[in-house]
Amino acid sequence: MAQQDPIPPDLGQRAYAAYGEVTGGLTHDGRPMPVWEELGEQIQTAWTVSARSIWDAASEGGTR
């Protein structure tokens, strides 16, 4: 098995930033996206868990 790169500690924040790049910095309902630090722990955790699940699936060859 190939060695997997370590999980970036800012994986959720990277995913959030990528979402903002695609949406022009707007939320799903057209409002400006808050900066990462203003999201609150629950939303930051949600982004991180979501990004981690994609990271894990990719590292398993996308078989999940």
Side-chain angles (χ1 to χ4, degrees), residues 23-48:
T23 66
L26 301 176
T27 63
H28 72 281
D29 57 358
R31 293 179 295 145
M33 290 173 59
V35 297
W36 176 258
E37 293 76 16
E38 294 175 358
L39 290 178
E41 186 176 347
Q42 183 178 12
I43 300 301
Q44 287 180 357
T45 298
W47 274 98
T48 300

Side-chain angles (χ1 to χ4, degrees), residues 3 7-8 10 12 14 24-25 29 32 34 36 40 43 45 47 54-55 59 62:
Q3 175 132 1
I7 297 169
D10 62 344
R14 288 182 186 196
D29 57 358
W36 176 258
I43 300 301
T45 298
W47 274 98
I54 295 166
W55 180 278
S59 70

